[in-house]
Amino acid sequence: MIAHALGGLAHLAGPRSLGAAAGQVLAAALLVLGLAGAALADPLPSWNAGETKSRITAFVEAVTDPASADFVPRAERVAVFDNDGTLWAEKPLYFQALFAFDLLKQRAAADPSILTSDTLKAAAAGDLETVLAGGVEALLEVVNASHAGLSVADFQAASRDWLETALHPETGRPFVAHVYQPMLELLRFLRDEGFATFIVSGGGIHFIRAYAEDAYGIPPRQVIGTVAESAYERVDGVPTIVKKPGIAFLDDKAGKPVGIDRVIGRRPILAFGNSDGDFEMLEWVTGGQGARLGLLLHHTDDAREWAYDRESHVGKLVRGLDEAETRGWRLVDMARDWKTVFPERE
Amino acid sequence: MIAHALGGLAHLAGPRSLGAAAGQVLAAALLVLGLAGAALADPLPSWNAGETKSRITAFVEAVTDPASADFVPRAERVAVFDNDGTLWAEKPLYFQALFAFDLLKQRAAADPSILTSDTLKAAAAGDLETVLAGGVEALLEVVNASHAGLSVADFQAASRDWLETALHPETGRPFVAHVYQPMLELLRFLRDEGFATFIVSGGGIHFIRAYAEDAYGIPPRQVIGTVAESAYERVDGVPTIVKKPGIAFLDDKAGKPVGIDRVIGRRPILAFGNSDGDFEMLEWVTGGQGARLGLLLHHTDDAREWAYDRESHVGKLVRGLDEAETRGWRLVDMARDWKTVFPERE
């Protein structure tokens, strides 16, 4: 069949005088054939064969096959992904928090007066222990103090600079090397099948957007996350969006379905998370009518990544472990289900 | 050229045994040819020839021609449109406010205790004058009281029901009959040229999303607007997003660029508004580097629509009129620039 079609294409591709219209036809046709060819190969080569992989591929087949009772029109194929611990690693601490420590230190070197509390002084001194002892509030204080006052453009330039130069304290590799190869394949597979893929993260939108397009192929407008206060100002006469202290929207737990409703305005049909911060998102997504898929990544692989769940201070997973089965959600076991964890080193 | 390409297509379309791959090729090819054919016709038939139409078409040509110095990649072609008074009419009052009056009356019939103030009692009695005398605050109070407590799903069902049955108090036609035909053409033209078209409105996101896809071809996720408080709850055990009293985000004036940054995360290259509520949005969009287009619809047509600007209580336009020329923004004169205002009656 494909050879026959290619014969027709060769005819189309003939003389250069065919012009722009035919050239566009050819480009469109080659794209279609390219996709058809790719579909013959395994779209998820880093996923081991088994129940998890089968559930994912069966779900995608069911919602994309027009003859299926579970068919979902393209415009409604929305998939949402948590970021930290789902699309990339989150140990020893959310990478944005590590960035905030470095940024605070750098900004305090220029202006020590920004260190207005013991927490901030500890953070600027690199004293992780003290900050962590203060819990989420202390962490938010550091993130806020380090980010506020910068324009969005300057903040994102600083984020990119850090992502290009800073190294993970345990692996010694750049942070973007800790994206999960199987998840990159899943994102691409879903997009090839007509899904829109969104990030729905407790992390800050401006930080995630600094790398999500390059790292995941997810454009800025498909990043939902925690929103810091910001304002429109003329800085030296130049129209600018400036980050301000305080949180306008916390995209975690019950905030996740709210954030999805506010930005997407439609209930997704697939949700993938890894912690109890994703519980309500999975509950809401899988509570809709028709075919739904809820997935939770269980960090079980101390050899290739980190193993943690109930006792971890990041990515704590308790209710998800206890209720996944009764709720019909699939626990993705990293050690069992993933052939590869991180992309090959270049 | 097209005939030649069609020859190639006829070859492709030959035997049915070509199968799915060739069928997809054909479909893609016909789509491309369809678009090529459409491009030969005037994409903006309801716009009169003149400076305004020329500026729009020249801008689109400049940013979409890869050989142009002003070329903008497809992913960065974002256009933002105010809604009330820009995509559809806003007289005698924002249509959402008229809906809020009707909804409040209906809900008060079932439960009079929700009318907790004189403003709300006046609204439920249809006393527009009294509510308007209270300004924007009174209006927000009515909108809030009528919307809060409903699930998003129920609210949108009520919105659609109203839009299908209620009639405009002056024209006697359904409200969606008051979308502007030239703007429908502009939206379609921009999308055909690779733009993503967003609404950025002071109106509420849930109300706009109830009709924007049908009326404008704009999907829910491309609607930015004022956001009421909402929460994720289990209502009788069913996961639900419920509207709450209070405003989480006011998408007006300096809030518009902030809303765009939060949702799109990228500075648009075209902005179209009609009132001083759009001033900062146009300022921010046209303040970026590269080719930019800022447009303001000036309501000058008392015969076919309504004529108003400096003194109006909705769509007030003062700074825009005074500064458009020095800022390089184009004032679109409805009476002069539009051949048609509303779509033909069916």
Side-chain angles (χ1 to χ4, degrees):
Chain A
M1 286 189 292
I2 288 175
H4 199 133
L6 280 170
L9 284 171
H11 183 87
L12 269 177
R16 298 196 63 184
S17 62
L18 273 181
Q24 284 180 296
V25 170
L26 180 66
L30 289 176
L31 182 69
V32 170
L33 284 181
L35 295 179
L40 300 175
D42 180 357
L44 302 173
S46 300
W47 292 72
N48 290 318
E51 168 77 7
T52 299
K53 186 170 180 170
S54 300
R55 294 246 326 239
I56 293 172
T57 52
F59 173 79
V60 172
E61 204 172 307
V63 299
T64 57
D65 177 1
S68 158
D70 290 322
F71 178 71
V72 175
R74 198 169 266 256
E76 292 167 29
R77 286 181 216 152
V78 174
V80 285
F81 292 82
D82 170 59
N83 185 41
D84 297 304
T86 300
L87 294 180
W88 74 352
E90 61 186 347
K91 286 283 185 178
L93 189 60
Y94 306 120
F95 296 172
Q96 184 180 0
L98 298 176
F99 167 56
F101 279 65
D102 286 355
L103 187 58
L104 186 69
K105 194 174 178 177
Q106 189 184 320
R107 294 184 70 187
D111 176 13
S113 75
I114 67 169
L115 303 178
T116 52
S117 74
D118 288 343
T119 299
L120 295 179
K121 281 171 191 153
D127 177 2
L128 209 70
E129 303 290 315
T130 300
V131 179
L132 286 182
V136 171
E137 276 178 25
L139 222 49
L140 277 177
E141 186 184 348
V142 175
V143 169
N144 247 312
S146 67
H147 294 11
L150 293 176
S151 73
V152 169
D154 287 347
F155 172 78
Q156 291 192 316
S159 303
R160 287 196 189 94
D161 184 53
W162 184 82
L163 286 164
E164 279 166 18
T165 54
L167 299 176
H168 189 283
E170 295 183 23
T171 70
R173 304 191 63 203
F175 287 94
V176 287
H178 301 81
V179 299
Y180 300 132
Q181 177 63 24
M183 298 304 287
L184 298 181
E185 293 168 7
L186 179 57
L187 290 171
R188 197 174 306 120
F189 175 47
L190 291 171
R191 289 193 291 259
D192 285 348
E193 296 292 338
F195 279 77
T197 53
F198 281 79
I199 290 174
V200 180
S201 171
I205 51 171
H206 293 124
F207 182 71
I208 299 168
R209 285 174 178 157
Y211 65 92
E213 192 148 29
D214 284 347
Y216 308 128
I218 293 182
R221 77 180 77 149
Q222 284 167 220
V223 174
I224 300 170
T226 290
V227 180
E229 291 291 350
S230 58
Y232 174 76
E233 295 175 356
R234 292 167 201 81
V235 179
D236 299 330
V238 178
T240 307
I241 310 283
V242 180
K243 290 174 79 66
K244 297 288 180 187
I247 298 294
F249 180 70
L250 185 62
D251 191 54
D252 195 29
K253 300 187 174 70
K256 289 202 172 193
V258 170
I260 291 169
D261 174 67
R262 290 185 183 175
V263 177
I264 305 179
R266 176 168 268 156
R267 203 192 302 216
I269 62 171
L270 184 157
F272 206 140
N274 80 299
S275 80
D276 283 348
D278 304 312
F279 192 92
E280 286 85 354
M281 175 169 80
L282 263 76
E283 182 180 60
W284 189 57
V285 167
T286 60
Q289 293 188 316
R292 307 276 161 165
L293 187 59
L295 299 153
L296 281 172
L297 179 60
H298 189 193
H299 292 263
T300 53
D301 197 328
D302 214 14
R304 298 183 298 175
E305 206 239 6
W306 289 269
Y308 58 97
D309 45 42
R310 294 177 189 275
E311 306 296 332
S312 178
H313 67 277
V314 294
K316 182 183 276 208
L317 184 66
V318 179
R319 279 192 79 188
L321 279 182
D322 293 339
E323 300 186 29
E325 193 170 343
T326 56
R327 289 176 177 268
W329 303 341
R330 180 68 184 171
L331 281 171
V332 177
D333 183 318
M334 187 184 281
R336 178 195 64 198
D337 291 328
W338 284 5
K339 198 173 290 173
T340 313
V341 174
F342 300 116
E344 293 284 314
R345 291 173 191 245
E346 282 169 9
Chain B
M1 286 190 294
I2 288 175
H4 199 131
L6 279 172
L9 284 171
H11 184 88
L12 268 178
R16 296 196 64 183
S17 64
L18 273 180
Q24 285 181 294
V25 170
L26 180 66
L30 289 176
L31 182 70
V32 170
L33 284 181
L35 295 179
L40 300 174
D42 179 357
L44 302 174
S46 300
W47 293 72
N48 289 318
E51 168 77 7
T52 298
K53 185 168 180 171
S54 301
R55 291 238 339 229
I56 292 172
T57 53
F59 173 79
V60 172
E61 204 173 306
V63 299
T64 56
D65 176 2
S68 158
D70 290 322
F71 178 72
V72 175
R74 197 170 268 256
E76 293 167 28
R77 286 180 216 153
V78 174
V80 286
F81 292 82
D82 170 58
N83 185 40
D84 296 305
T86 300
L87 294 180
W88 74 353
E90 62 185 346
K91 286 285 186 177
L93 189 59
Y94 306 120
F95 296 171
Q96 185 179 359
L98 297 176
F99 168 55
F101 279 65
D102 286 354
L103 188 58
L104 187 68
K105 194 174 177 177
Q106 190 183 319
R107 294 184 69 188
D111 177 11
S113 76
I114 66 170
L115 303 179
T116 52
S117 74
D118 289 344
T119 299
L120 296 179
K121 281 172 191 151
D127 177 2
L128 208 72
E129 303 291 313
T130 300
V131 179
L132 286 182
V136 171
E137 276 178 26
L139 222 49
L140 278 177
E141 187 185 348
V142 175
V143 169
N144 247 311
S146 66
H147 295 12
L150 294 175
S151 73
V152 169
D154 287 346
F155 173 78
Q156 291 191 316
S159 303
R160 287 195 190 95
D161 184 53
W162 184 82
L163 286 164
E164 278 167 18
T165 55
L167 299 177
H168 190 284
E170 296 184 22
T171 69
R173 304 191 62 203
F175 288 95
V176 287
H178 301 81
V179 299
Y180 300 132
Q181 176 64 24
M183 298 305 287
L184 298 181
E185 293 168 7
L186 179 57
L187 290 170
R188 196 174 308 121
F189 175 46
L190 291 171
R191 290 194 291 259
D192 285 347
E193 297 292 337
F195 280 77
T197 53
F198 281 79
I199 289 173
V200 180
S201 172
I205 52 172
H206 293 125
F207 181 71
I208 299 169
R209 285 173 178 159
Y211 65 92
E213 191 147 30
D214 284 345
Y216 308 128
I218 293 182
R221 77 181 76 150
Q222 284 167 220
V223 173
I224 301 170
T226 291
V227 180
E229 291 292 351
S230 57
Y232 174 76
E233 295 175 357
R234 291 166 202 82
V235 178
D236 299 329
V238 178
T240 307
I241 311 284
V242 180
K243 291 175 78 68
K244 297 288 178 186
I247 298 295
F249 180 70
L250 185 62
D251 191 55
D252 195 30
K253 301 188 172 70
K256 289 203 172 192
V258 170
I260 292 169
D261 174 66
R262 289 184 184 176
V263 177
I264 306 179
R266 176 168 269 155
R267 203 192 303 216
I269 61 172
L270 183 157
F272 206 139
N274 81 299
S275 80
D276 284 348
D278 304 312
F279 192 92
E280 286 84 353
M281 175 169 81
L282 264 75
E283 182 180 61
W284 190 57
V285 167
T286 60
Q289 293 188 316
R292 305 277 161 163
L293 186 60
L295 299 153
L296 281 172
L297 179 60
H298 189 193
H299 292 263
T300 53
D301 197 328
D302 213 13
R304 298 183 299 176
E305 206 239 6
W306 290 269
Y308 59 95
D309 46 41
R310 295 178 189 275
E311 306 297 330
S312 178
H313 67 277
V314 294
K316 182 183 273 206
L317 185 65
V318 179
R319 278 192 79 189
L321 279 182
D322 293 340
E323 300 186 30
E325 192 170 344
T326 56
R327 289 175 176 269
W329 304 340
R330 180 66 183 172
L331 281 171
V332 177
D333 183 317
M334 186 183 281
R336 179 194 63 199
D337 292 328
W338 285 5
K339 197 174 292 175
T340 313
V341 174
F342 299 116
E344 294 284 314
R345 289 172 191 247
E346 282 170 10

Coordinates of all heavy atoms in Angstrom, one line a residue, chain B residues 88 91-95 97-99 101-102 159-178 306 345:
Chain B
W88 N -18.2 41.1 19.9 CA -19.7 41.2 19.8 C -20.0 42.5 20.5 O -19.2 43.1 21.1 CB -20.4 40.0 20.3 CG -20.4 39.7 21.8 CD1 -19.8 40.4 22.8 CD2 -21.2 38.7 22.5 NE1 -20.1 39.9 24.0 CE2 -20.9 38.8 23.8 CE3 -22.1 37.7 22.0 CZ2 -21.5 38.0 24.8 CZ3 -22.7 36.9 23.0 CH2 -22.4 37.0 24.3
K91 N -23.9 46.8 24.1 CA -25.0 47.7 24.4 C -26.3 47.0 24.5 O -26.5 46.1 23.8 CB -25.0 48.8 23.4 CG -23.9 49.9 23.4 CD -24.1 50.8 24.6 CE -23.1 51.9 24.5 NZ -23.3 52.9 25.6
P92 N -27.2 47.4 25.5 CA -27.1 48.6 26.3 C -26.1 48.3 27.5 O -25.8 49.3 28.2 CB -28.5 48.8 26.8 CG -29.1 47.4 26.8 CD -28.5 46.7 25.6
L93 N -25.7 47.0 27.7 CA -24.9 46.7 28.9 C -24.2 45.3 28.5 O -24.8 44.6 27.7 CB -25.8 46.5 30.1 CG -25.2 46.3 31.5 CD1 -24.3 47.5 31.8 CD2 -26.2 46.1 32.5
Y94 N -23.1 45.1 29.1 CA -22.4 43.8 28.8 C -23.4 42.7 28.9 O -24.2 42.6 29.9 CB -21.3 43.5 29.9 CG -20.3 44.6 30.0 CD1 -20.1 45.3 31.2 CD2 -19.5 45.0 28.9 CE1 -19.2 46.4 31.3 CE2 -18.6 46.1 29.0 CZ -18.5 46.7 30.2 OH -17.6 47.7 30.3
F95 N -23.4 41.8 27.9 CA -24.5 40.7 27.9 C -24.4 39.8 29.1 O -25.4 39.3 29.6 CB -24.3 39.9 26.6 CG -24.6 40.7 25.3 CD1 -24.3 40.1 24.1 CD2 -25.0 42.0 25.3 CE1 -24.5 40.8 22.9 CE2 -25.3 42.7 24.2 CZ -25.0 42.1 22.9
A97 N -23.9 40.7 32.1 CA -24.6 41.4 33.1 C -26.1 41.2 33.0 O -26.8 41.0 33.9 CB -24.2 42.9 33.2
L98 N -26.5 41.3 31.7 CA -28.0 41.1 31.5 C -28.4 39.6 31.8 O -29.4 39.4 32.4 CB -28.3 41.3 30.0 CG -28.1 42.8 29.5 CD1 -28.3 42.9 28.0 CD2 -29.0 43.7 30.3
F99 N -27.5 38.7 31.5 CA -27.7 37.3 31.9 C -27.7 37.2 33.5 O -28.6 36.5 34.0 CB -26.5 36.5 31.3 CG -26.5 35.1 31.9 CD1 -27.6 34.2 31.9 CD2 -25.3 34.6 32.5 CE1 -27.5 32.9 32.4 CE2 -25.2 33.3 33.0 CZ -26.3 32.5 32.9
F101 N -28.6 39.4 35.6 CA -29.9 39.9 36.1 C -31.0 38.8 36.0 O -31.7 38.5 37.0 CB -30.4 41.1 35.3 CG -29.7 42.4 35.7 CD1 -28.4 42.6 35.6 CD2 -30.5 43.4 36.3 CE1 -27.8 43.8 36.0 CE2 -29.9 44.6 36.7 CZ -28.5 44.8 36.6
D102 N -31.1 38.2 34.8 CA -32.1 37.1 34.6 C -31.9 35.9 35.5 O -32.8 35.4 36.1 CB -32.1 36.7 33.1 CG -32.7 37.7 32.2 OD1 -33.2 38.7 32.8 OD2 -32.6 37.6 31.0
S159 N -26.0 29.2 31.1 CA -25.6 30.3 30.2 C -26.0 29.9 28.8 O -26.6 30.8 28.1 CB -24.0 30.3 30.2 OG -23.5 30.6 31.5
R160 N -25.9 28.7 28.4 CA -26.2 28.3 27.0 C -27.7 28.4 26.8 O -28.2 28.8 25.8 CB -25.8 26.8 26.8 CG -24.3 26.7 26.6 CD -23.8 25.4 25.9 NE -22.4 25.3 26.0 CZ -21.7 24.7 27.0 NH1 -22.4 24.1 27.9 NH2 -20.4 24.7 27.0
D161 N -28.5 28.0 27.9 CA -29.9 28.0 27.8 C -30.4 29.5 27.6 O -31.2 29.8 26.7 CB -30.5 27.5 29.1 CG -32.0 27.4 29.1 OD1 -32.5 26.8 28.1 OD2 -32.6 28.0 30.0
W162 N -29.8 30.4 28.3 CA -30.1 31.8 28.2 C -29.7 32.3 26.8 O -30.5 33.1 26.2 CB -29.4 32.6 29.3 CG -29.7 34.1 29.3 CD1 -30.8 34.7 29.9 CD2 -28.9 35.1 28.8 NE1 -30.7 36.0 29.8 CE2 -29.6 36.3 29.1 CE3 -27.7 35.2 28.1 CZ2 -29.1 37.6 28.7 CZ3 -27.2 36.4 27.6 CH2 -27.9 37.6 27.9
L163 N -28.6 32.0 26.4 CA -28.1 32.4 25.0 C -29.0 31.9 23.9 O -29.1 32.6 22.9 CB -26.7 32.0 24.8 CG -25.6 32.8 25.6 CD1 -24.3 32.1 25.6 CD2 -25.5 34.2 25.0
E164 N -29.6 30.8 24.1 CA -30.5 30.2 23.1 C -31.9 30.8 23.1 O -32.6 30.8 22.1 CB -30.6 28.7 23.3 CG -29.4 28.0 22.6 CD -29.4 26.5 23.1 OE1 -30.4 26.0 23.5 OE2 -28.3 25.9 22.9
T165 N -32.3 31.3 24.3 CA -33.7 31.8 24.4 C -33.9 33.3 24.7 O -34.9 33.8 24.2 CB -34.4 31.0 25.6 OG1 -33.6 31.3 26.8 CG2 -34.4 29.5 25.4
A166 N -33.0 33.9 25.4 CA -33.2 35.3 25.7 C -33.0 36.2 24.4 O -32.3 35.8 23.5 CB -32.2 35.8 26.8
L167 N -33.7 37.3 24.4 CA -33.6 38.2 23.3 C -33.1 39.6 23.7 O -33.4 40.1 24.8 CB -35.0 38.4 22.6 CG -35.6 37.1 22.1 CD1 -37.0 37.3 21.5 CD2 -34.7 36.5 21.0
H168 N -32.3 40.2 22.9 CA -31.7 41.5 23.1 C -32.8 42.5 23.3 O -33.8 42.6 22.5 CB -30.8 41.9 22.0 CG -30.0 43.1 22.2 ND1 -30.5 44.4 22.2 CD2 -28.7 43.2 22.5 CE1 -29.5 45.2 22.5 NE2 -28.4 44.6 22.7
P169 N -32.7 43.4 24.4 CA -33.9 44.3 24.7 C -34.1 45.3 23.6 O -35.2 45.9 23.6 CB -33.4 44.9 26.0 CG -31.9 44.7 26.1 CD -31.7 43.4 25.4
E170 N -33.1 45.6 22.8 CA -33.3 46.7 21.8 C -33.5 46.1 20.4 O -34.4 46.6 19.6 CB -32.2 47.7 21.8 CG -32.1 48.4 23.1 CD -31.0 49.5 23.1 OE1 -30.6 50.0 22.0 OE2 -30.6 49.9 24.2
T171 N -32.8 45.1 20.0 CA -32.9 44.5 18.7 C -33.9 43.4 18.6 O -34.4 43.1 17.5 CB -31.6 44.0 18.1 OG1 -31.3 42.8 18.9 CG2 -30.5 45.0 18.3
G172 N -34.3 42.8 19.7 CA -35.2 41.7 19.7 C -34.6 40.4 19.1 O -35.3 39.4 18.9
R173 N -33.3 40.4 18.9 CA -32.7 39.2 18.4 C -31.9 38.4 19.4 O -31.5 39.0 20.5 CB -31.7 39.6 17.2 CG -32.5 40.4 16.1 CD -31.6 40.6 14.9 NE -31.3 39.3 14.3 CZ -30.3 39.0 13.5 NH1 -29.4 40.0 13.2 NH2 -30.1 37.8 13.0
P174 N -31.5 37.2 19.2 CA -30.7 36.4 20.2 C -29.4 37.1 20.3 O -28.9 37.8 19.4 CB -30.5 35.1 19.6 CG -31.6 34.9 18.5 CD -31.9 36.3 18.1
F175 N -28.8 37.0 21.5 CA -27.5 37.7 21.7 C -26.4 37.3 20.8 O -25.6 38.1 20.4 CB -27.1 37.6 23.2 CG -28.0 38.4 24.1 CD1 -29.1 37.8 24.7 CD2 -27.8 39.7 24.3 CE1 -30.0 38.6 25.5 CE2 -28.6 40.5 25.1 CZ -29.7 39.9 25.7
V176 N -26.3 36.0 20.5 CA -25.2 35.6 19.6 C -25.3 36.1 18.2 O -24.4 36.0 17.4 CB -25.0 34.1 19.6 CG1 -24.4 33.6 20.9 CG2 -26.3 33.4 19.3
A177 N -26.5 36.7 17.9 CA -26.6 37.3 16.6 C -25.9 38.7 16.5 O -25.8 39.3 15.4 CB -28.1 37.6 16.3
H178 N -25.3 39.1 17.7 CA -24.6 40.4 17.7 C -23.1 40.2 17.7 O -22.4 41.1 18.1 CB -25.1 41.1 19.0 CG -26.5 41.4 19.0 ND1 -27.5 40.5 19.4 CD2 -27.3 42.5 18.6 CE1 -28.7 41.0 19.3 NE2 -28.6 42.2 18.8
W306 N -24.2 50.9 17.5 CA -24.3 52.0 18.4 C -23.1 52.9 18.2 O -22.0 52.4 17.9 CB -24.4 51.5 19.9 CG -25.7 50.8 20.2 CD1 -26.9 51.3 20.7 CD2 -26.0 49.4 20.0 NE1 -27.8 50.4 20.8 CE2 -27.3 49.2 20.4 CE3 -25.2 48.3 19.6 CZ2 -27.9 47.9 20.4 CZ3 -25.8 47.0 19.6 CH2 -27.2 46.8 20.0
R345 N -29.0 37.4 8.5 CA -30.0 36.6 9.2 C -30.2 35.3 8.4 O -30.2 35.4 7.2 CB -31.4 37.3 9.3 CG -31.4 38.5 10.3 CD -32.7 39.2 10.1 NE -32.7 40.5 10.8 CZ -33.4 40.8 11.9 NH1 -34.3 39.9 12.4 NH2 -33.3 41.9 12.5

